[in-house]
């Protein structure tokens, strides 16, 4: 996984793309077949199933029971509403999604697709890079 960061510290999107290009060119030089699959995860943060995520945290990652309870508390019983000037919508309970704009959000999201990546790694050698741009963190 390559974290992408547009701030002055850490790798940026250019560095991440150069790394992808390097992996592809090295594989081609070694006469390997290269397939590049890209997913647009623009709305992915909004569609994370809490129960599946918590199961992966406990099973795949092996976090402690206390940490699992903390994550459950962090994800559940959240509500949202829309306010435009003085008008406010009815509050709606959220059953999916990870809070965006938090430090923990991208970390939790990176665990969510981990099982699918693991399944592919058993079939062929796969280099998986997850690029998270600041636009996904907003």
């Amino acid at each position: 996984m390559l974290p992408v960061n547009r701030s002055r510290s850490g790798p940026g999107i250019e560095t991440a793309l150069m790394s992808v290009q390097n992996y592809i060119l090295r594989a081609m030089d070694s006469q390997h077949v290269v397939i590049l699959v890209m997913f647009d995860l623009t709305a992915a943060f909004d569609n994370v199933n809490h129960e599946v995520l918590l199961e992966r945290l406990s099973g795949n990652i092996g976090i402690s029971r206390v940490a699992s309870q903390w994550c459950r508390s962090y994800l559940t019983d959240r509500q949202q509403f829309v306010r435009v000037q003085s008008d406010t919508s009815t509050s709606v309970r959220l059953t999916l999604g990870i809070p965006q704009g938090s430090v923990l959000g991208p970390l939790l999201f990176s665990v969510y697709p981990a099982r699918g990546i693991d399944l592919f790694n058993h079939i062929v050698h796969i280099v998986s890079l997850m690029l998270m741009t600041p636009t996904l963190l907003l």
Side-chain angles (χ1 to χ4, degrees):
M1 179 182 348
L2 286 177
V4 175
N5 185 343
R6 288 204 181 255
S7 69
R8 292 186 181 166
S9 63
I13 190 73
E14 294 83 9
T15 304
L17 291 174
M18 286 175 32
S19 294
V20 170
Q21 180 184 23
N22 185 44
Y23 283 119
I24 292 171
L25 292 174
R26 285 186 13 218
M28 289 172 64
D29 286 345
S30 300
Q31 303 297 312
H32 292 119
V33 175
V34 177
I35 300 172
L36 177 63
V37 179
M38 301 175 76
F39 298 101
D40 179 5
L41 302 176
T42 306
F45 275 72
D46 299 330
N47 296 303
V48 172
N49 182 302
H50 297 163
E51 291 305 316
V52 172
L53 175 61
L54 291 166
E55 179 182 313
R56 290 186 183 161
L57 285 169
S58 298
N60 295 8
I61 306 299
I63 65 171
S64 70
R65 188 176 62 83
V66 173
S68 179
Q69 289 172 339
W70 184 85
C71 286
R72 180 176 298 280
S73 172
Y74 178 72
L75 293 170
T76 57
D77 295 326
R78 291 187 162 284
Q79 296 191 11
Q80 88 177 18
F81 65 93
V82 176
R83 178 179 295 153
V84 178
Q85 295 178 353
S86 62
D87 295 324
T88 304
S89 70
T90 305
S91 185
V92 176
R93 185 172 173 260
L94 301 177
T95 58
L96 296 172
I98 296 175
Q100 297 179 39
S102 67
V103 173
L104 191 56
L107 178 65
L108 289 174
F109 179 75
S110 70
V111 172
Y112 195 70
R115 181 156 168 79
I117 292 168
D118 289 343
L119 292 173
F120 283 117
N121 279 332
H122 292 295
I123 300 169
V124 293
H125 174 72
I126 291 181
V127 175
S128 56
L129 301 172
M130 185 177 296
L131 307 176
M132 292 189 206
T133 64
T135 55
L136 293 177
L137 304 178
L138 297 176

